[in-house]
Amino acid sequence: MRKTLLTRVSLAGLIATVAGCSSTPPPAPKVEKSFKTIASQFMTSDATRNQGTVVDKGMFYPKETFSLSYRYCSASAEQAQQDIDQFYQLAKKTCKANSGTMINQATDAWCVSHPNTPDETPIFSARITSTDLWADVCPTGPFVTMRVIENKEVNKDAWIDGAKLLGYQPYSVHRKIVPSNQSQAALFNEKETPAPEQEPWTEETGFIATHVGETVCMYKKTKDEAYGVTYKGKIQSVDDNRVSVLATEKLKGDIRIAPEIDPLPWYKEAVIEADARSWFICQ
């Protein structure tokens, strides 16, 4: 009898132990820290956004494969604004998951560690814009562009160099940070194309300066122009980093991000000479 009682007590204890184990909550799901992954999911999670396409393709564009740009036709101006707000919230949430802080620079909002110190390091950047340009190919609403700059697969120095090429401004006493109360406007307003003289000397520039016969393009836009134009031709000669190009095509907008190639009236051919930094490789 005593043995049976002990057996029952032991069995009851075992059942209680098993029950206790089964009631242990499952581990919390891992927080995704790659904003490029999260942004890609966001771009395709809605039927309207899913109709878009990745842009900025080319031999040297995006630089070092760090950059991802995606464009789609929004269903309406209201939908575009809602997407902008959601994208911004995703960026802030992902930055927090990376123990980072969002700072707003002239071109993009950057998630960084150790903000505003000599140890500041970029983690990723986010930018989304809505524009009525190209309304002729977006009859339902504005054209929306999402851009992410991030790379977790290379060493720190290579990543920082790539981020600089794509617009990241390292910490200095002269750096301008947009106030937080203006963050959304700073994030999502289109900026005028910088003057060629302000462009950095890059691997692409070095390639252009040493490859006569290569096909190159130049994008030009004035304040009064809605789209700007791209000139396309072949390099004839290079003299002291001045590149002479026999241009044979003039195209509407910046062909790196334009939704379609739209030729404009142009001479049969014309020579354009400019600094090597003014040109980019194109097909």
Side-chain angles (χ1 to χ4, degrees):
M1 180 71 180
R2 176 180 173 81
K3 183 177 180 180
T4 303
L5 179 61
L6 287 174
T7 301
R8 290 177 178 173
V9 171
S10 299
L11 182 59
L14 177 61
I15 293 173
T17 302
V18 172
C21 290
S22 63
S23 63
T24 302
K30 181 181 178 181
V31 177
E32 176 60 66
K33 293 186 177 182
S34 168
F35 187 57
K36 188 177 286 187
T37 299
I38 291 175
S40 296
Q41 294 170 351
F42 177 73
M43 293 169 189
T44 57
S45 63
D46 174 90
T48 300
R49 295 194 298 264
N50 195 37
Q51 300 301 313
T53 184
V54 175
V55 293
D56 292 359
K57 295 179 179 179
M59 183 173 179
F60 286 93
Y61 205 96
K63 304 290 189 302
E64 305 294 340
T65 70
F66 292 146
S67 176
L68 169 67
S69 293
Y70 185 84
R71 276 193 158 183
Y72 66 96
C73 291
S74 178
S76 64
E78 292 76 18
Q79 182 63 51
Q81 186 58 50
Q82 182 176 328
D83 286 351
I84 286 173
D85 295 340
Q86 291 178 356
F87 190 78
Y88 183 48
Q89 293 303 319
L90 279 175
K92 291 198 298 183
K93 182 178 179 180
T94 309
C95 186
K96 184 177 180 181
N98 280 276
S99 301
T101 300
M102 296 296 290
I103 61 172
N104 298 288
Q105 299 189 359
T107 54
D108 298 337
W110 285 86
C111 174
V112 303
S113 57
H114 312 294
N116 299 317
T117 72
D119 296 324
E120 181 180 290
T121 303
I123 301 173
F124 68 82
S125 81
R127 183 184 184 208
I128 181 169
T129 57
S130 174
T131 174
D132 290 327
L133 298 183
W134 305 103
D136 48 338
V137 295
C138 283
T140 57
F143 218 43
V144 177
T145 303
M146 300 176 182
R147 186 188 190 208
V148 179
I149 302 173
E150 179 184 56
N151 196 305
K152 296 178 177 291
E153 307 301 325
V154 298
N155 66 59
K156 178 180 176 181
D157 290 339
W159 156 234
I160 292 178
D161 288 343
K164 289 178 183 177
L165 289 178
L166 289 163
Y168 170 68
Q169 299 174 15
Y171 169 76
S172 77
V173 294
H174 304 292
R175 183 176 70 178
K176 294 181 179 180
I177 299 297
V178 179
S180 58
N181 62 351
Q182 299 176 16
S183 59
Q184 189 146 330
L187 261 176
F188 306 134
N189 283 346
E190 285 282 6
K191 300 296 181 181
E192 184 180 347
T193 304
E197 290 74 20
Q198 297 175 336
E199 294 289 343
W201 187 272
T202 66
E203 180 186 0
E204 179 179 15
T205 306
F207 182 90
I208 290 170
T210 55
H211 284 72
V212 173
E214 191 68 37
T215 299
V216 294
C217 291
M218 174 198 293
Y219 173 64
K220 300 287 288 183
K221 179 180 180 297
T222 65
K223 293 181 179 179
D224 298 328
E225 290 180 311
Y227 301 96
V229 296
T230 297
Y231 298 97
K232 181 178 180 180
K234 291 186 181 295
I235 300 174
Q236 281 192 318
S237 62
V238 181
D239 183 16
D240 193 25
N241 296 328
R242 297 284 296 178
V243 177
S244 179
V245 172
L246 184 64
T248 55
E249 293 183 70
K250 182 180 180 182
L251 307 164
K252 180 180 178 181
D254 186 343
I255 66 168
R256 293 168 293 188
I257 57 176
E260 58 185 18
I261 303 300
D262 191 355
L264 297 174
W266 180 239
Y267 308 103
K268 183 178 180 181
E269 56 184 37
V271 176
I272 300 177
E273 182 181 294
D275 187 280
R277 292 170 293 183
S278 303
W279 304 93
F280 59 89
I281 297 294
C282 57
Q283 303 298 323

